[in-house]
Amino acid sequence: MNELTTGTGRDPAGPPVTSPAGAAPAGHEGSGRGRPARKRRRGGEGRLAALLLSPTFAVLAVVIAFPIVAAIWDSLHRTSEELDADGLVVEAERFSGLANYTALIGSGRFQTALWNTTFFTVTTVAIETVIGLAMALLMHRAFRGRGIFRASVLVPWAIPTAISALLWRWIFSADGVANAVLGREILWTADGLEAKFAVIIADTWKTAPFVALLVLAGLQVIPDEVYEAARVDGAGAWQRFRNVTLPLVMPSLLVAVMFRMMDALRMFDLPQVLIGTRKPSVETLSQLAWDEAMNLRYGPAAATATVLFLYIALAAYVFVRLLGADMIGEEDEK
């Protein structure tokens, strides 16, 4: 009994029981075999996932990665005309490094286009956010004819941008509806401050319904019990909007603002059709890149497009980091 209680491992009916060297403790016999099996299973799942996603990666490489790499490559080269051995003029492509970028940044036309792009983005997105939020709140209310109102609101968004620009070009013409209503003759589609106003009005009419649609989707998922509890607590209409509606609809609103910001930074067809090309008051970076390419200056055109791409990527990153934490779930993780 003393031997059993002291833990010598001796069997009362036989010789002492010893464990073989290197044997696993009791209850862990299968742990060594299970770990390689799990690793093999995970490796197989990873290879299967990579195989299933390979077509998607291939398509993304063709339609996204290759154009980006090609644009960066072209931006580092410059096309020049030279004489070959037979005395014929041929075009030669020479590596120029960052010469296209330095010439672009020092260009007054680029600086004006950059300012116009930023101005239109900030102005139109701010106006469309306010109007879109108001439209969404109105569409969310129950009233007679709400379905017709919702359908009519989406009509401007459904019209192609080029067609919308032609419509507003007719409205802003010298003998158009805008001058007839104002009772004075304004050259909206010429150049200057009036052209800026024309682009802002046309773009707001076109894309404010998009913001309203996304915000309306966010409003419809807010439970009615939240508003009932706010009314019981004595909250008025403004207090319910500020403390209940706005915080709960903020994720949808931020998504709408980010999409509109990225779209506005790429603005091309609306000012191109409504006002025209080479108009300093409304020319954007997209128009500048297009004009350079149409004049066969592919190096500067690719440099402009690359700068615009980096500008959009930086703006989206800053927006998400500063304002859009809820969109990627960082607030929940914290």
Side-chain angles (χ1 to χ4, degrees):
M1 291 295 292
N2 291 335
E3 293 176 352
L4 291 176
T5 56
T6 55
T8 58
R10 185 182 298 274
D11 191 343
V17 179
T18 58
S19 299
H28 297 273
E29 293 83 3
S31 60
R33 294 189 300 270
R35 207 171 289 118
R38 285 195 298 270
K39 289 183 179 180
R40 287 194 299 269
R41 186 164 58 251
R42 290 176 182 175
E45 293 175 355
R47 287 190 293 270
L48 178 60
L51 180 62
L52 295 176
L53 292 175
S54 57
T56 303
F57 291 150
V59 172
L60 291 177
V62 171
V63 303
I64 296 179
F66 177 75
I68 293 176
V69 174
I72 295 175
W73 175 265
D74 289 339
S75 68
L76 300 176
H77 292 75
R78 180 170 293 178
T79 303
S80 60
E81 294 183 349
E82 298 179 351
L83 296 177
D84 61 1
D86 299 328
L88 300 176
V89 178
V90 295
E91 289 187 353
E93 190 177 69
R94 295 183 177 276
F95 180 77
S96 60
L98 299 178
N100 289 326
Y101 291 96
T102 55
L104 180 68
I105 295 175
S107 171
R109 187 181 179 189
F110 167 78
Q111 296 174 3
T112 302
L114 179 62
W115 161 250
N116 290 336
T117 302
T118 306
F119 174 77
F120 284 136
T121 299
V122 174
T123 305
T124 58
V125 171
I127 297 174
E128 290 160 9
T129 300
V130 175
I131 296 178
L133 179 60
M135 293 169 61
L137 292 173
L138 182 59
M139 289 188 293
H140 187 59
R141 297 178 63 89
F143 59 91
R144 181 177 298 179
R146 184 176 65 173
I148 298 177
F149 177 72
R150 287 183 175 181
S152 61
V153 163
L154 296 179
V155 170
W157 175 249
I159 297 177
T161 306
I163 305 301
S164 176
L166 289 175
L167 171 64
W168 282 99
R169 185 177 180 87
W170 172 75
I171 294 174
F172 286 127
S173 61
D175 55 349
V177 178
N179 288 340
V181 172
L182 295 176
R184 49 185 301 191
E185 187 173 347
I186 301 176
L187 301 178
W188 297 95
T189 59
D191 199 4
L193 188 61
E194 294 82 2
K196 276 187 168 64
F197 280 122
V199 172
I200 291 173
I201 293 172
D203 189 72
T204 301
W205 177 84
K206 163 71 178 172
T207 53
F210 171 74
V211 179
L213 182 64
L214 292 185
V215 175
L216 178 62
L219 288 173
Q220 291 180 338
V221 300
I222 300 177
D224 294 334
E225 292 79 4
V226 179
Y227 292 104
E228 294 176 1
R231 291 190 186 94
V232 170
D233 292 339
W238 170 250
Q239 291 176 330
R240 292 196 300 270
F241 170 76
R242 187 183 62 181
N243 299 322
V244 177
T245 303
L246 197 58
L248 293 179
V249 82
M250 188 59 67
S252 301
L253 184 61
L254 289 177
V255 171
V257 171
M258 189 181 71
F259 284 168
R260 276 300 304 133
M261 178 189 68
M262 297 176 65
D263 192 29
L265 288 173
R266 302 191 306 266
M267 184 183 294
F268 169 77
D269 41 3
L270 182 62
Q272 182 78 8
V273 178
L274 177 59
I275 307 300
T277 185
R278 288 182 170 270
K279 298 296 181 67
S281 60
V282 298
E283 187 177 45
T284 62
L285 289 177
S286 296
Q287 288 182 284
L288 177 59
W290 178 86
D291 186 66
E292 294 285 356
M294 289 300 100
N295 288 279
L296 305 181
R297 295 188 290 267
Y298 298 115
T304 305
T306 303
V307 171
L308 178 58
F309 168 74
L310 296 176
Y311 186 23
I312 295 174
L314 178 62
Y317 175 78
V318 172
F319 182 86
V320 171
R321 296 299 300 177
L322 294 182
L323 300 176
D326 290 339
M327 296 190 310
I328 56 179
E330 290 186 355
E331 292 294 336
D332 296 337
E333 293 177 359
K334 292 179 181 179

